[in-house]
Amino acid sequence: MAVVNHNLPRLLPAFEALADLGNEMTADRDFITRAETMLARTMQALDAREGALFIHSDRPAMLTSVAAFGFALFPQSAVIPLLPKNVRALNHSQPMVLAGTHERYFSANGNVPPGVFQCVAPLRVNAKLVGAVTLGRRNAEGGYDEADLATLGMLAQPIAMAVQNHVLAHTLEHRIAENLRLLAGLHSMYDHTLEAFATAIDAKDAFTRGHSLRVGRYAAAVGEAMGLDPAQVTGLRAAGYLHDVGKVNVDKHLFKKPGALERIEFQEMADHTVMGHQIVAGVEFPWPQIPEVVRSHHERADGSGYPDHLHESEMPLAVRVVALADSFDAMTSERSYRQPLSLGETLTHIVRSTPGKFDAEAVQALLVQLRRDATRKDSGAAFLEPSVPMTVAPRDLDQLAADLNFRINNARAYSA
Ligand SMILES: [Fe+2]
């Protein structure tokens, strides 16, 4: 390496600068601050009064400054378009003095005249041009000699790595943002498709019409009041829409039967969970909880549900939320064998069945949403579907919340 020609007094500052630049590469600061520090350190090591650090971009080929010191009238962001011959020359050159050879390396079409640079060090990583350091006049009289260029070549390596890291991170950020945008588009498309699907699932029977749509909306709102993040809330809505997908295989006469179902009929109805699971298990949804919700939304915390008799600790959060939303909608809707329960009756029943059957946090969140509705003065979006009359007062809801708390604390005391 050319540094063996340096004498020790000149070599030492170069090594010190190199150590500093190594630290800068991984410094936890924004890139512009790092670029300025790296350029200042390089200029100090070479006793340069003027200097600039550029990033190279491919399409279109050009250099854009990210740091510059000392030049008079240097633009905030200097841009130098590169011709193919310029890129080739920069790609195959070591640091050099630019005595009358500027146009080999830079076009004159930029907003800074290349003539102000006295030497240039192309920045490369794995033979790929990532940028350039250019130096202008020095503090003392005189130009740059071979030893200076060797030092510059040494310092250029960590700077090139830092620039490359920045460009990669930038590209990655861009890619992630782009993917998120696509994903968001995909989610809204899914949402609309699933809404149509939910409508189709319940279309068989007048009594269950709209059930899946309402369960999806209730489940999402309960999740929201539980403080879940937006992706989980969207997943709950989708899972609610699809939870009864297995009913497409159930004989439609069973939905219309006025009395209780025979054992065999009940089994056919109950099998919609397993059938539904078979339908969705092979589908790659953006929300992984859908198949488990489809299979397990009739499970109950005390193990009395079906098809797997899971207990509370075995039931994922999404299952517990959709199970509650499903029961809430079923109770407040008319069925072939009974009139709808009033809101008060429904809530009393749900609170009495918690924590034995339902998830206490989900029930609390349900009461929070209903209390918002009961005290709402504006015409904003309500939690409760218009088909269900709001017949409970805020103080009734407070009493239900107090009863719920009592039951949860008692359950804890007994199980302790
Ligand atoms: Fe169901």
Side-chain angles (χ1 to χ4, degrees), residues 59-387:
R59 291 188 208 124
M62 64 171 155
L63 294 172
T64 307
S65 72
V66 285
F69 295 117
F71 294 109
L73 302 174
F74 203 82
Q76 176 80 34
S77 177
V79 179
I80 304 176
L82 298 177
L83 303 170
K85 66 167 186 177
N86 304 142
V87 176
R88 262 198 310 277
L90 287 167
N91 249 328
H92 294 99
S93 303
Q94 297 304 315
M96 85 219 68
V97 173
L98 294 162
T101 57
H102 291 86
E103 66 181 45
R104 258 192 88 193
Y105 303 100
F106 309 104
S107 81
N109 302 333
N111 59 0
V112 60
V116 299
F117 307 136
Q118 290 194 13
C119 72
V120 59
L123 301 175
R124 286 189 296 265
V125 175
N126 297 332
K128 186 178 179 300
L129 185 67
V130 296
V133 173
T134 56
L135 298 177
R137 285 172 294 177
R138 311 187 80 170
N139 288 313
E141 287 300 308
Y144 300 90
D145 63 17
E146 281 297 312
D148 295 321
L149 294 178
T151 301
L152 187 55
M154 229 167 36
L155 300 183
Q157 290 172 21
I159 300 178
M161 291 298 291
V163 168
Q164 168 77 347
N165 282 345
H166 167 71
V167 171
L168 278 182
H170 204 69
T171 316
L172 202 62
E173 270 168 34
H174 183 75
R175 281 208 199 126
I176 290 172
E178 180 67 8
N179 278 345
L180 281 178
R181 202 183 55 75
L182 284 174
L183 208 58
L186 199 64
H187 277 195
S188 75
M189 186 193 81
Y190 255 113
D191 226 31
H192 290 127
T193 312
L194 294 186
E195 258 183 50
F197 221 95
T199 311
I201 292 168
D202 301 321
K204 267 188 172 181
D205 166 53
F207 289 111
T208 57
R209 200 155 290 157
H211 167 69
S212 298
L213 277 180
R214 293 191 298 270
V215 171
R217 287 173 195 154
Y218 286 147
V222 166
E224 215 168 64
M226 289 172 82
L228 302 184
D229 66 48
Q232 286 175 296
V233 170
T234 311
L236 279 175
R237 187 180 299 109
Y241 285 168
L242 290 185
H243 76 287
D244 269 347
V245 63
K247 283 193 176 162
V248 294
N249 279 335
V250 175
D251 184 341
K252 66 180 180 183
H253 298 294
L254 294 187
F255 296 104
K256 294 186 171 64
K257 192 170 176 184
L261 296 180
E262 303 288 327
R263 222 175 96 84
I264 194 157
E265 291 170 334
F266 179 81
Q267 194 52 51
E268 183 182 344
M269 186 66 100
D271 278 350
H272 78 277
T273 52
V274 180
M275 300 296 294
H277 186 246
Q278 280 171 10
I279 294 172
V280 294
V283 183
E284 270 195 43
F285 292 104
W287 307 283
Q289 60 267 57
I290 288 181
E292 59 196 22
V293 166
V294 169
R295 184 179 182 94
S296 306
H297 66 274
H298 284 284
E299 301 288 357
R300 295 294 176 255
D302 57 6
S304 62
Y306 61 86
D308 302 308
H309 308 291
L310 301 180
H311 284 79
E312 188 184 9
S313 60
E314 301 164 300
M315 294 165 63
L317 178 70
V319 168
R320 286 179 268 147
V321 172
V322 174
L324 174 68
D326 185 23
S327 300
F328 177 76
D329 183 66
M331 288 184 229
T332 50
S333 304
E334 187 181 356
R335 286 289 181 266
S336 57
Y337 49 91
R338 61 154 171 79
Q339 287 299 303
L341 270 60
S342 73
L343 187 57
E345 288 167 332
T346 301
L347 294 175
T348 303
H349 183 81
I350 285 176
V351 168
R352 277 191 197 148
S353 310
T354 307
K357 308 278 184 201
F358 299 111
D359 179 86
E361 263 185 74
V363 176
Q364 258 162 350
L366 174 72
L367 294 176
V368 165
Q369 287 288 22
L370 286 166
R371 201 178 192 292
R372 269 186 210 158
D373 269 14
T375 53
R376 189 185 301 276
K377 290 189 175 62
D378 57 50
S379 57
F383 166 76
L384 203 55
E385 291 288 324
S387 54

